Amino acid sequence: MTTEFLPEPIVRIRDNPVLIAQARRRFRRRKTIPALVIAFVVAACALLLAMTSGKPEDWDFLTCVILGFIGVLLLLRGTTAVQATVSEERLSGLLDFHRATPTTPLTDVLGYVFGPLALDYAIVGVLTPFLLVSTACGEVGVVRGFAALGVILLSGVLYHALACLTGLSVAKGWNATLVLGLAIVALHAVTLSVATDGPLAVAHLTPWPAIVSILDVGDSPTSLAAPIAFYGITLSPAIFSLFLQGTLLAFVVWGCTRRMRMQGATTFSRPGAFLFFGILAFVVIGGLWPSALAGRDDVLHGLELTVMAWFVLSMTLATILGLVLVPSFLEVKRTLRRAVERGEDIRWHHDGAPVLPLVPRLAAVVWAGLGVLLVAAVGQNLTFAPTPGGLILAVLATLAFLAFVLASCEYVRLRFRRAWGGMALLVLFLAFILPWMLAGVFAATDWGDGMGRFVAAMSPTYAVFSTVGHLVLPHLSSEDPYEILAICSTAVAASVSLVFFVLGHRLREGLARELRPPG
Amino acid sequence: MEALLTVRKLRVDYEDVTAVDDVSFSIEAGTVYGLIGPNGAGKTTLMRVIATLLEPTHGSVRVAGIDVLDQPREALRHIGFMPDLPPIYEDLTVREFLDLFASASGIVRAQRPGRIADLLERVRLTEKRDQLAGGLSRGMKQRLFLARTLLHEPDLLVLDEPASGLDPHARVELRDIVRDLGQAGRAVLVSSHILSELADFCTSVGVMEQGKLIASGRIEDVARRIAPGLPVEVRLLAPDDRLATVLGTWPGLRDLVVDGGRAVFRLDGPPEDAARLLASLVQQGLPVVEFHPREGNLEDLFLKISDGRVS
């Protein structure tokens, strides 16, 4: 009899082989029955207690306890379980067998995101009827109670996808599991103890703002449940959290599929990274929008603070994304190989392409964000009136800074290959830490502050700090002429970037010659 | 006829080493191709590229006419890959383990139980089908994984060190299975650094060393290229000094090694020359009890063409 094969869909949900295998493994373990029985008995006892009391607030308390327990189960235990499973199977080679089957990476990712938690979902299933009773008997109500459960499940999927990505990326499985677990605990501790409002609060990476606003129970920490002002529109924290977490989930799953498809692939493609940067910028600007329109306090106009916050956040994001996109030696080789074989030019969006074309694009997002914020503030009585010279200098400083970071990192990765980390640390120290340390030393000695500033100007960060600082907060900046040093600092950063770029380009040329077929 | 596997100018670089360097070869249906080489020669890297698990720096790999780099998913329908020391899910039963990969291979659900039962029969694990895979012996695990590799009836089998760690009995079973697969028209690429293991079932060989394929082809052809002439072994009833004298002066005789009453050498020219040599030995009164062409020995072959770093 000839074996018949089904066409492979983009994603398999019902007959997902990884999911079924992982679930079978979890249900086979000896702790399965005891875990389910314990969950049932404890929930039943709690239900009986609430029934005995009969007060609505006791039912609501029971609802909160059940939701809290499910949260801890899925968000903490579940996340570390997914990370440990993926990491273990990657290191043992089992993951390679799944890669070497016709199933799509998305099917495998779904299997790993849901499969290792089969037992946890079964426990949630055991608790669900109790949640139904407690919400029906309390003030919360069934709809709101199950909406809160839905929020936890969505957050859980985000955390589990993130854990899958960590498992596919990080070399040392156990260390990563520990760090991930601690990070989740820290995030939730910060959220629940120092509850802050606003769209930029890290609390929105947890389900709690959405849950508190959905349940709207008694003495909840109101700042968590405060409405979100986003681009001037007032949003429920639940809607905002769902939007933010859903968007992040889409990107994390995308990253997982790239890494599932090929070991060593970058998490994002370059266009994907820019899309991600764009969406993050959209969220950040939306969050800063109301403060851009706020009035002046004693010292600062709301817009000035907003612009500074935007610069810090966007430059940090641009630098991190830029560094993530710096190709490894192997990626460069593979890109060159494809270009040689297909007779194509290497475009900026190819994984192993040079990084310098990314610099103006990253800077463009930073400055476009500033433009949007300024447009938002049109008509306000502003003290923020940048001069064309100061603006051009600030733009050049950001360009030089990003060029320095990316070009130096690219050269170090190509030149030192496997051992690039140590050299990158040295460059980081020499460029970003040493000048400021020496500046501090000079400022404290007879050499004076002037010499210290001159030394600090050797760091590419000096130009960014001084130009953006003078641009945004001219009335708070010192009276000293800063332009000369800023120009020097920008010129130094640009020159060093150019040197790194030329050296990196020569390494690429050498590799391309090596790969070109003879003749 | 297009080869089932065609590797062309393949090169694989790691960060600081070239693991496979300009390797080209092809395998046709019905061929059992042994990849020989010491540890670190690049065999596993080459196999991982063929199995779509590694992207090469340069070159191409086609399986059943499909480029594995351009269409990996389509190519995987034709490839069965069994790695060295394959890990398994210890807490799945033998049947569940095969069902997992039958599903992943896209075999229709109704056919899976029958296909799994057939394969378990073939690798003689039927009695163990409901036992946890973690409880199997090393040889059984290896056979289980071989069954997993055969699930989707691949045209090309890529077996990396399949017999490592197996007891002699299990090796014989594996040899028979691989030989049957070759006879059934599959192409089998099998690697090992233990040459005696391959000698029994390979029809062709490729010798790898330091990432390069230094010889490739049918065993006889490679042997002829590397060491021309007919390999002959002569054995006398008792040691006799005249044996070395006669053989030493015979025209077209090379690589002579005389050890007491036994001699091995290579003889150029047609088979009639061998008949004349035997007649001459007998005429001179040497008590010849054996005179026969010697079987091509992979180990000798490898040592001839490599610098001898073989296990």
Side-chain angles (χ1 to χ4, degrees), chain B residues 191-219:
Chain B
S191 81
S192 181
H193 63 284
I194 303 168
L195 303 180
S196 55
E197 204 174 272
L198 294 177
D200 292 340
F201 51 75
C202 288
T203 51
S204 299
V205 286
V207 182
M208 282 194 81
E209 199 168 87
Q210 293 178 346
K212 289 184 184 294
L213 191 67
I214 53 179
S216 176
R218 294 181 60 79
I219 293 179

Side-chain angles (χ1 to χ4, degrees), chain A residues 209-431:
Chain A
I211 288 173
V212 170
S213 82
I214 286 171
L215 296 183
D216 192 21
V217 282
D219 53 351
S220 61
T222 49
S223 60
L224 264 183
I228 303 293
F230 191 62
Y231 286 102
I233 304 164
T234 305
L235 291 178
S236 148
I239 300 287
F240 183 76
S241 289
L242 289 179
F243 161 71
L244 186 64
Q245 293 189 22
T247 308
L248 286 176
L249 175 63
F251 277 100
V252 173
V253 169
W254 185 6
C256 285
T257 55
R258 279 177 62 87
R259 285 201 169 261
M260 186 66 80
R261 185 177 296 124
M262 186 61 75
Q263 177 77 36
T266 50
T267 303
F268 290 128
S269 64
R270 290 186 172 188
F274 274 93
L275 183 62
F276 186 58
F277 191 20
I279 287 177
L280 286 182
F282 173 72
V283 172
V284 171
I285 292 170
L288 291 171
W289 192 278
S291 58
L293 305 180
R296 166 180 287 281
D297 63 13
D298 289 346
V299 184
L300 293 168
H301 191 281
L303 181 65
E304 292 159 355
L305 273 180
T306 305
V307 169
M308 283 308 286
W310 166 251
F311 257 110
V312 171
L313 281 170
S314 62
M315 283 300 284
T316 307
L317 279 173
T319 307
I320 292 171
L321 272 178
L323 288 174
V324 166
L325 295 177
V326 173
S328 68
F329 175 75
L330 283 181
E331 278 164 346
V332 170
K333 264 200 156 179
R334 285 169 184 161
T335 303
L336 286 169
R337 189 258 302 168
R338 287 188 205 113
V340 168
E341 281 182 356
R342 294 170 192 173
E344 292 172 354
D345 291 335
I346 296 174
R347 302 287 172 84
W348 75 271
H349 56 79
H350 292 152
D351 283 353
V355 289
L356 222 51
L358 300 178
V359 171
R361 289 171 169 86
L362 290 168
V365 177
V366 173
W367 286 95
L370 178 75
V372 170
L373 286 169
L374 289 178
V375 168
V378 165
Q380 300 270 314
N381 184 20
L382 299 175
T383 57
F384 176 61
T387 61
L391 200 60
I392 289 170
L393 196 52
V395 172
L396 289 177
T398 50
L399 281 169
F401 171 79
L402 289 171
F404 174 84
V405 172
L406 267 61
S408 61
C409 188
E410 181 183 47
Y411 171 73
V412 168
R413 285 204 79 167
L414 289 180
R415 171 70 182 78
F416 297 96
R417 302 180 188 182
R418 204 185 281 270
W420 70 278
M423 192 50 68
L425 199 67
L426 182 64
V427 171
L428 178 83
F429 175 77
L430 293 177

Side-chain angles (χ1 to χ4, degrees), chain A residues 10-50:
Chain A
I10 293 169
V11 59
R12 272 206 246 172
I13 295 170
R14 262 189 65 236
D15 190 24
N16 186 311
V18 179
L19 195 149
I20 292 170
Q22 295 290 348
R24 276 179 172 155
R25 298 176 65 205
R26 264 59 193 189
F27 286 130
R28 177 153 292 129
R29 289 179 185 173
R30 285 182 185 156
K31 63 183 178 191
T32 304
I33 301 294
L36 293 174
V37 169
I38 290 169
F40 180 83
V41 171
V42 171
C45 290
L47 192 78
L48 285 173
L49 266 176

